mmCIF file of all heavy atoms in Angstrom:
data_model
loop_
_atom_site.group_PDB
_atom_site.id
_atom_site.type_symbol
_atom_site.label_atom_id
_atom_site.label_comp_id
_atom_site.label_asym_id
_atom_site.label_seq_id
_atom_site.Cartn_x
_atom_site.Cartn_y
_atom_site.Cartn_z
ATOM 1 N N GLU A 185 4.892 37.894 22.606
ATOM 2 C CA GLU A 185 5.155 39.333 22.683
ATOM 3 C C GLU A 185 4.496 40.058 21.515
ATOM 4 O O GLU A 185 4.617 39.637 20.366
ATOM 5 C CB GLU A 185 6.664 39.587 22.663
ATOM 6 C CG GLU A 185 7.047 41.052 22.783
ATOM 7 C CD GLU A 185 8.543 41.258 22.761
ATOM 8 O OE1 GLU A 185 9.278 40.256 22.743
ATOM 9 O OE2 GLU A 185 8.969 42.431 22.765
ATOM 10 N N ALA A 186 3.793 41.127 21.807
ATOM 11 C CA ALA A 186 3.185 41.942 20.753
ATOM 12 C C ALA A 186 4.268 42.701 20.000
ATOM 13 O O ALA A 186 5.190 43.243 20.613
ATOM 14 C CB ALA A 186 2.171 42.905 21.345
ATOM 15 N N THR A 187 4.166 42.734 18.686
ATOM 16 C CA THR A 187 5.116 43.464 17.853
ATOM 17 C C THR A 187 4.352 44.404 16.925
ATOM 18 O O THR A 187 3.112 44.377 16.869
ATOM 19 C CB THR A 187 5.958 42.493 17.002
ATOM 20 O OG1 THR A 187 5.128 41.891 15.996
ATOM 21 C CG2 THR A 187 6.584 41.396 17.865
ATOM 22 N N ASP A 188 5.088 45.204 16.174
ATOM 23 C CA ASP A 188 4.442 46.123 15.233
ATOM 24 C C ASP A 188 3.572 45.373 14.237
ATOM 25 O O ASP A 188 2.540 45.884 13.781
ATOM 26 C CB ASP A 188 5.502 46.938 14.480
ATOM 27 C CG ASP A 188 6.184 47.960 15.373
ATOM 28 O OD1 ASP A 188 5.627 48.285 16.434
ATOM 29 O OD2 ASP A 188 7.278 48.425 15.002
ATOM 30 N N ARG A 189 3.983 44.151 13.887
ATOM 31 C CA ARG A 189 3.234 43.386 12.885
ATOM 32 C C ARG A 189 2.062 42.615 13.479
ATOM 33 O O ARG A 189 1.184 42.168 12.731
ATOM 34 C CB ARG A 189 4.163 42.416 12.151
ATOM 35 C CG ARG A 189 5.218 43.106 11.309
ATOM 36 C CD ARG A 189 5.850 42.172 10.310
ATOM 37 N NE ARG A 189 6.609 41.070 10.908
ATOM 38 C CZ ARG A 189 7.307 40.174 10.221
ATOM 39 N NH1 ARG A 189 7.317 40.233 8.893
ATOM 40 N NH2 ARG A 189 8.001 39.225 10.831
ATOM 41 N N THR A 190 2.042 42.443 14.785
ATOM 42 C CA THR A 190 0.968 41.637 15.378
ATOM 43 C C THR A 190 -0.060 42.455 16.142
ATOM 44 O O THR A 190 -1.026 41.899 16.660
ATOM 45 C CB THR A 190 1.550 40.563 16.316
ATOM 46 O OG1 THR A 190 2.244 41.189 17.404
ATOM 47 C CG2 THR A 190 2.493 39.641 15.567
ATOM 48 N N VAL A 191 0.135 43.766 16.226
ATOM 49 C CA VAL A 191 -0.860 44.628 16.863
ATOM 50 C C VAL A 191 -1.789 45.166 15.782
ATOM 51 O O VAL A 191 -1.345 45.857 14.861
ATOM 52 C CB VAL A 191 -0.188 45.793 17.607
ATOM 53 C CG1 VAL A 191 -1.254 46.744 18.161
ATOM 54 C CG2 VAL A 191 0.690 45.273 18.730
ATOM 55 N N PRO A 192 -3.091 44.846 15.834
ATOM 56 C CA PRO A 192 -4.006 45.304 14.784
ATOM 57 C C PRO A 192 -4.187 46.812 14.810
ATOM 58 O O PRO A 192 -4.082 47.455 15.859
ATOM 59 C CB PRO A 192 -5.319 44.585 15.119
ATOM 60 C CG PRO A 192 -5.231 44.267 16.566
ATOM 61 C CD PRO A 192 -3.777 44.039 16.860
ATOM 62 N N THR A 193 -4.436 47.372 13.652
ATOM 63 C CA THR A 193 -4.659 48.815 13.570
ATOM 64 C C THR A 193 -6.077 49.188 13.983
ATOM 65 O O THR A 193 -6.335 50.327 14.362
ATOM 66 C CB THR A 193 -4.406 49.313 12.131
ATOM 67 O OG1 THR A 193 -5.228 48.571 11.217
ATOM 68 C CG2 THR A 193 -2.949 49.116 11.751
ATOM 69 N N ARG A 194 -7.015 48.232 13.911
ATOM 70 C CA ARG A 194 -8.396 48.480 14.325
ATOM 71 C C ARG A 194 -8.811 47.430 15.346
ATOM 72 O O ARG A 194 -8.341 46.300 15.327
ATOM 73 C CB ARG A 194 -9.356 48.414 13.125
ATOM 74 C CG ARG A 194 -9.133 49.506 12.090
ATOM 75 C CD ARG A 194 -10.185 49.448 10.995
ATOM 76 N NE ARG A 194 -11.526 49.762 11.480
ATOM 77 C CZ ARG A 194 -12.490 48.864 11.630
ATOM 78 N NH1 ARG A 194 -12.272 47.597 11.359
ATOM 79 N NH2 ARG A 194 -13.687 49.233 12.050
ATOM 80 N N SER A 195 -9.724 47.807 16.235
ATOM 81 C CA SER A 195 -10.281 46.893 17.251
ATOM 82 C C SER A 195 -9.182 46.168 18.016
ATOM 83 O O SER A 195 -9.161 44.944 18.129
ATOM 84 C CB SER A 195 -11.234 45.887 16.587
ATOM 85 O OG SER A 195 -12.268 46.531 15.897
ATOM 86 N N ARG A 196 -8.276 46.943 18.557
ATOM 87 C CA ARG A 196 -7.156 46.338 19.294
ATOM 88 C C ARG A 196 -7.624 45.566 20.512
ATOM 89 O O ARG A 196 -6.919 44.670 20.990
ATOM 90 C CB ARG A 196 -6.164 47.425 19.712
ATOM 91 C CG ARG A 196 -5.456 48.098 18.532
ATOM 92 C CD ARG A 196 -4.329 48.988 19.006
ATOM 93 N NE ARG A 196 -3.627 49.604 17.873
ATOM 94 C CZ ARG A 196 -2.496 50.283 17.964
ATOM 95 N NH1 ARG A 196 -1.929 50.441 19.163
ATOM 96 N NH2 ARG A 196 -1.922 50.798 16.901
ATOM 97 N N ASP A 197 -8.795 45.898 21.038
ATOM 98 C CA ASP A 197 -9.306 45.192 22.205
ATOM 99 C C ASP A 197 -9.659 43.743 21.894
ATOM 100 O O ASP A 197 -9.834 42.930 22.804
ATOM 101 C CB ASP A 197 -10.545 45.908 22.750
ATOM 102 C CG ASP A 197 -11.662 46.014 21.717
ATOM 103 O OD1 ASP A 197 -11.383 46.537 20.614
ATOM 104 O OD2 ASP A 197 -12.785 45.576 21.996
ATOM 105 N N ARG A 198 -9.756 43.404 20.617
ATOM 106 C CA ARG A 198 -10.071 42.023 20.237
ATOM 107 C C ARG A 198 -8.823 41.156 20.100
ATOM 108 O O ARG A 198 -8.934 39.951 19.891
ATOM 109 C CB ARG A 198 -10.835 42.009 18.908
ATOM 110 C CG ARG A 198 -12.188 42.705 18.972
ATOM 111 C CD ARG A 198 -12.885 42.662 17.624
ATOM 112 N NE ARG A 198 -14.139 43.401 17.656
ATOM 113 C CZ ARG A 198 -14.910 43.604 16.590
ATOM 114 N NH1 ARG A 198 -14.531 43.117 15.401
ATOM 115 N NH2 ARG A 198 -16.038 44.280 16.704
ATOM 116 N N ALA A 199 -7.651 41.739 20.200
ATOM 117 C CA ALA A 199 -6.413 40.980 20.033
ATOM 118 C C ALA A 199 -6.103 40.178 21.295
ATOM 119 O O ALA A 199 -6.377 40.612 22.413
ATOM 120 C CB ALA A 199 -5.255 41.916 19.709
ATOM 121 N N ARG A 200 -5.532 39.003 21.098
ATOM 122 C CA ARG A 200 -5.104 38.147 22.196
ATOM 123 C C ARG A 200 -3.711 37.617 21.874
ATOM 124 O O ARG A 200 -3.402 37.307 20.720
ATOM 125 C CB ARG A 200 -6.063 36.956 22.380
ATOM 126 C CG ARG A 200 -7.508 37.345 22.649
ATOM 127 C CD ARG A 200 -7.694 37.889 24.058
ATOM 128 N NE ARG A 200 -9.109 38.105 24.335
ATOM 129 C CZ ARG A 200 -9.795 39.189 23.990
ATOM 130 N NH1 ARG A 200 -9.179 40.180 23.324
ATOM 131 N NH2 ARG A 200 -11.069 39.305 24.280
ATOM 132 N N TYR A 201 -2.904 37.459 22.904
ATOM 133 C CA TYR A 201 -1.541 36.970 22.720
ATOM 134 C C TYR A 201 -1.219 35.769 23.615
ATOM 135 O O TYR A 201 -0.110 35.240 23.538
ATOM 136 C CB TYR A 201 -0.542 38.095 22.987
ATOM 137 C CG TYR A 201 -0.753 39.284 22.074
ATOM 138 C CD1 TYR A 201 -1.529 40.364 22.471
ATOM 139 C CD2 TYR A 201 -0.201 39.302 20.794
ATOM 140 C CE1 TYR A 201 -1.755 41.447 21.631
ATOM 141 C CE2 TYR A 201 -0.419 40.386 19.938
ATOM 142 C CZ TYR A 201 -1.195 41.446 20.366
ATOM 143 O OH TYR A 201 -1.425 42.514 19.513
ATOM 144 N N ASP A 202 -2.159 35.351 24.448
ATOM 145 C CA ASP A 202 -1.880 34.226 25.335
ATOM 146 C C ASP A 202 -1.848 32.923 24.540
ATOM 147 O O ASP A 202 -2.604 32.730 23.584
ATOM 148 C CB ASP A 202 -2.923 34.143 26.449
ATOM 149 C CG ASP A 202 -4.331 33.897 25.914
ATOM 150 O OD1 ASP A 202 -4.920 34.866 25.368
ATOM 151 O OD2 ASP A 202 -4.810 32.763 25.998
ATOM 152 N N ARG A 203 -0.960 32.036 24.952
ATOM 153 C CA ARG A 203 -0.760 30.789 24.228
ATOM 154 C C ARG A 203 -2.003 29.905 24.219
ATOM 155 O O ARG A 203 -2.284 29.238 23.220
ATOM 156 C CB ARG A 203 0.429 30.022 24.820
ATOM 157 C CG ARG A 203 1.771 30.506 24.296
ATOM 158 C CD ARG A 203 2.924 29.768 24.986
ATOM 159 N NE ARG A 203 4.170 30.016 24.282
ATOM 160 C CZ ARG A 203 4.844 31.152 24.344
ATOM 161 N NH1 ARG A 203 4.381 32.154 25.075
ATOM 162 N NH2 ARG A 203 5.977 31.304 23.668
ATOM 163 N N ASP A 204 -2.744 29.865 25.331
ATOM 164 C CA ASP A 204 -3.918 28.998 25.379
ATOM 165 C C ASP A 204 -4.905 29.356 24.276
ATOM 166 O O ASP A 204 -5.452 28.480 23.592
ATOM 167 C CB ASP A 204 -4.606 29.102 26.742
ATOM 168 C CG ASP A 204 -3.817 28.406 27.845
ATOM 169 O OD1 ASP A 204 -2.908 27.601 27.509
ATOM 170 O OD2 ASP A 204 -4.100 28.661 29.033
ATOM 171 N N THR A 205 -5.160 30.648 24.094
ATOM 172 C CA THR A 205 -6.094 31.083 23.060
ATOM 173 C C THR A 205 -5.551 30.791 21.668
ATOM 174 O O THR A 205 -6.254 30.238 20.813
ATOM 175 C CB THR A 205 -6.383 32.581 23.199
ATOM 176 O OG1 THR A 205 -7.010 32.832 24.455
ATOM 177 C CG2 THR A 205 -7.294 33.073 22.080
ATOM 178 N N VAL A 206 -4.296 31.152 21.431
ATOM 179 C CA VAL A 206 -3.687 30.935 20.115
ATOM 180 C C VAL A 206 -3.672 29.454 19.767
ATOM 181 O O VAL A 206 -4.084 29.046 18.669
ATOM 182 C CB VAL A 206 -2.258 31.516 20.084
ATOM 183 C CG1 VAL A 206 -1.519 31.062 18.829
ATOM 184 C CG2 VAL A 206 -2.302 33.036 20.159
ATOM 185 N N HIS A 207 -3.216 28.619 20.688
ATOM 186 C CA HIS A 207 -3.109 27.187 20.409
ATOM 187 C C HIS A 207 -4.477 26.558 20.178
ATOM 188 O O HIS A 207 -4.632 25.684 19.314
ATOM 189 C CB HIS A 207 -2.395 26.477 21.552
ATOM 190 C CG HIS A 207 -0.934 26.824 21.646
ATOM 191 N ND1 HIS A 207 -0.104 26.315 22.625
ATOM 192 C CD2 HIS A 207 -0.153 27.634 20.894
ATOM 193 C CE1 HIS A 207 1.125 26.782 22.453
ATOM 194 N NE2 HIS A 207 1.109 27.595 21.411
ATOM 195 N N ALA A 208 -5.478 26.969 20.948
ATOM 196 C CA ALA A 208 -6.817 26.412 20.780
ATOM 197 C C ALA A 208 -7.374 26.716 19.393
ATOM 198 O O ALA A 208 -7.989 25.858 18.748
ATOM 199 C CB ALA A 208 -7.758 26.950 21.861
ATOM 200 N N ILE A 209 -7.162 27.944 18.913
ATOM 201 C CA ILE A 209 -7.642 28.311 17.576
ATOM 202 C C ILE A 209 -6.906 27.507 16.510
ATOM 203 O O ILE A 209 -7.520 26.979 15.568
ATOM 204 C CB ILE A 209 -7.463 29.820 17.346
ATOM 205 C CG1 ILE A 209 -8.389 30.611 18.283
ATOM 206 C CG2 ILE A 209 -7.748 30.197 15.882
ATOM 207 C CD1 ILE A 209 -8.126 32.103 18.281
ATOM 208 N N LEU A 210 -5.605 27.382 16.641
ATOM 209 C CA LEU A 210 -4.828 26.619 15.665
ATOM 210 C C LEU A 210 -5.203 25.141 15.680
ATOM 211 O O LEU A 210 -5.355 24.513 14.623
ATOM 212 C CB LEU A 210 -3.332 26.771 15.952
ATOM 213 C CG LEU A 210 -2.730 28.167 15.741
ATOM 214 C CD1 LEU A 210 -1.293 28.199 16.218
ATOM 215 C CD2 LEU A 210 -2.813 28.580 14.268
ATOM 216 N N ASP A 211 -5.366 24.582 16.857
ATOM 217 C CA ASP A 211 -5.591 23.139 16.958
ATOM 218 C C ASP A 211 -6.978 22.719 16.495
ATOM 219 O O ASP A 211 -7.196 21.547 16.175
ATOM 220 C CB ASP A 211 -5.371 22.675 18.397
ATOM 221 C CG ASP A 211 -3.919 22.808 18.837
ATOM 222 O OD1 ASP A 211 -3.059 23.048 17.972
ATOM 223 O OD2 ASP A 211 -3.652 22.674 20.043
ATOM 224 N N GLU A 212 -7.911 23.643 16.463
ATOM 225 C CA GLU A 212 -9.252 23.317 15.980
ATOM 226 C C GLU A 212 -9.321 23.322 14.455
ATOM 227 O O GLU A 212 -10.284 22.832 13.864
ATOM 228 C CB GLU A 212 -10.263 24.308 16.560
ATOM 229 C CG GLU A 212 -11.720 23.906 16.337
ATOM 230 C CD GLU A 212 -12.695 24.870 16.977
ATOM 231 O OE1 GLU A 212 -12.351 25.435 18.045
ATOM 232 O OE2 GLU A 212 -13.797 25.057 16.419
ATOM 233 N N ALA A 213 -8.299 23.864 13.815
ATOM 234 C CA ALA A 213 -8.282 23.982 12.356
ATOM 235 C C ALA A 213 -7.323 22.967 11.757
ATOM 236 O O ALA A 213 -6.461 22.410 12.435
ATOM 237 C CB ALA A 213 -7.866 25.387 11.941
ATOM 238 N N TYR A 214 -7.472 22.737 10.457
ATOM 239 C CA TYR A 214 -6.482 21.945 9.719
ATOM 240 C C TYR A 214 -6.202 22.531 8.337
ATOM 241 O O TYR A 214 -5.401 21.989 7.594
ATOM 242 C CB TYR A 214 -6.885 20.475 9.604
ATOM 243 C CG TYR A 214 -8.326 20.213 9.212
ATOM 244 C CD1 TYR A 214 -8.748 20.336 7.899
ATOM 245 C CD2 TYR A 214 -9.250 19.818 10.173
ATOM 246 C CE1 TYR A 214 -10.059 20.088 7.544
ATOM 247 C CE2 TYR A 214 -10.568 19.561 9.830
ATOM 248 C CZ TYR A 214 -10.970 19.691 8.513
ATOM 249 O OH TYR A 214 -12.272 19.452 8.176
ATOM 250 N N VAL A 215 -6.836 23.649 8.014
ATOM 251 C CA VAL A 215 -6.538 24.372 6.777
ATOM 252 C C VAL A 215 -6.072 25.773 7.152
ATOM 253 O O VAL A 215 -6.724 26.462 7.946
ATOM 254 C CB VAL A 215 -7.759 24.457 5.849
ATOM 255 C CG1 VAL A 215 -7.446 25.344 4.636
ATOM 256 C CG2 VAL A 215 -8.179 23.078 5.378
ATOM 257 N N CYS A 216 -4.950 26.183 6.600
ATOM 258 C CA CYS A 216 -4.459 27.539 6.802
ATOM 259 C C CYS A 216 -4.236 28.178 5.435
ATOM 260 O O CYS A 216 -4.346 27.522 4.395
ATOM 261 C CB CYS A 216 -3.150 27.536 7.598
ATOM 262 S SG CYS A 216 -1.721 26.862 6.695
ATOM 263 N N HIS A 217 -3.929 29.460 5.440
ATOM 264 C CA HIS A 217 -3.542 30.154 4.212
ATOM 265 C C HIS A 217 -2.108 30.645 4.382
ATOM 266 O O HIS A 217 -1.802 31.360 5.333
ATOM 267 C CB HIS A 217 -4.497 31.308 3.907
ATOM 268 C CG HIS A 217 -5.823 30.845 3.388
ATOM 269 N ND1 HIS A 217 -6.833 30.402 4.219
ATOM 270 C CD2 HIS A 217 -6.283 30.705 2.112
ATOM 271 C CE1 HIS A 217 -7.868 30.028 3.483
ATOM 272 N NE2 HIS A 217 -7.565 30.206 2.213
ATOM 273 N N LEU A 218 -1.270 30.228 3.458
ATOM 274 C CA LEU A 218 0.153 30.520 3.495
ATOM 275 C C LEU A 218 0.450 31.626 2.494
ATOM 276 O O LEU A 218 0.275 31.456 1.288
ATOM 277 C CB LEU A 218 0.949 29.256 3.149
ATOM 278 C CG LEU A 218 2.468 29.398 2.987
ATOM 279 C CD1 LEU A 218 3.107 29.758 4.313
ATOM 280 C CD2 LEU A 218 3.058 28.108 2.421
ATOM 281 N N GLY A 219 0.898 32.768 2.989
ATOM 282 C CA GLY A 219 1.197 33.903 2.128
ATOM 283 C C GLY A 219 2.690 34.147 2.024
ATOM 284 O O GLY A 219 3.419 34.037 3.014
ATOM 285 N N PHE A 220 3.143 34.462 0.816
ATOM 286 C CA PHE A 220 4.555 34.763 0.586
ATOM 287 C C PHE A 220 4.654 35.593 -0.693
ATOM 288 O O PHE A 220 3.655 35.810 -1.388
ATOM 289 C CB PHE A 220 5.380 33.477 0.464
ATOM 290 C CG PHE A 220 4.906 32.536 -0.620
ATOM 291 C CD1 PHE A 220 5.505 32.522 -1.867
ATOM 292 C CD2 PHE A 220 3.846 31.666 -0.383
ATOM 293 C CE1 PHE A 220 5.058 31.669 -2.868
ATOM 294 C CE2 PHE A 220 3.387 30.807 -1.375
ATOM 295 C CZ PHE A 220 3.997 30.809 -2.624
ATOM 296 N N VAL A 221 5.852 36.073 -1.000
ATOM 297 C CA VAL A 221 6.074 36.862 -2.211
ATOM 298 C C VAL A 221 6.859 36.018 -3.202
ATOM 299 O O VAL A 221 7.907 35.457 -2.871
ATOM 300 C CB VAL A 221 6.843 38.161 -1.899
ATOM 301 C CG1 VAL A 221 7.172 38.906 -3.186
ATOM 302 C CG2 VAL A 221 6.016 39.045 -0.974
ATOM 303 N N ARG A 222 6.334 35.932 -4.439
ATOM 304 C CA ARG A 222 7.009 35.181 -5.502
ATOM 305 C C ARG A 222 7.183 36.083 -6.716
ATOM 306 O O ARG A 222 6.217 36.643 -7.227
ATOM 307 C CB ARG A 222 6.191 33.943 -5.889
ATOM 308 C CG ARG A 222 6.864 33.066 -6.960
ATOM 309 C CD ARG A 222 6.022 31.837 -7.242
ATOM 310 N NE ARG A 222 4.798 32.194 -7.955
ATOM 311 C CZ ARG A 222 3.724 31.399 -8.019
ATOM 312 N NH1 ARG A 222 3.719 30.250 -7.383
ATOM 313 N NH2 ARG A 222 2.667 31.782 -8.697
ATOM 314 N N ASP A 223 8.411 36.263 -7.135
ATOM 315 C CA ASP A 223 8.724 37.120 -8.281
ATOM 316 C C ASP A 223 8.143 38.520 -8.109
ATOM 317 O O ASP A 223 7.619 39.122 -9.052
ATOM 318 C CB ASP A 223 8.209 36.484 -9.583
ATOM 319 C CG ASP A 223 8.848 35.128 -9.867
ATOM 320 O OD1 ASP A 223 10.016 34.941 -9.464
ATOM 321 O OD2 ASP A 223 8.180 34.273 -10.470
#
C-alpha cells in the first residue's frame, strides 16, 4: 500500500509497489543502507 512516506515527491511515475518488482530488487542485492536516529 502506498503511504505518505512511500510516495515520491518527484517522478511519481517511476514508483512501483508490486511485490515482484520490490522482491527482485532486494534479492539481487546483499548490501543495504540502514538509517536511524542516534542521540
Side-chain angles (χ1 to χ4, degrees):
E185 182 180 355
T187 70
D188 289 341
R189 294 196 296 184
T190 62
V191 175
T193 55
R194 295 185 66 252
S195 303
R196 294 190 178 190
D197 59 306
R198 297 180 184 175
R200 302 287 187 276
Y201 301 94
D202 62 285
R203 278 176 167 75
D204 287 344
T205 297
V206 169
H207 291 179
I209 293 171
L210 293 173
D211 293 348
E212 191 177 327
Y214 46 78
V215 174
C216 70
H217 286 81
L218 174 66
F220 57 97
V221 175
R222 182 178 71 198
D223 299 329

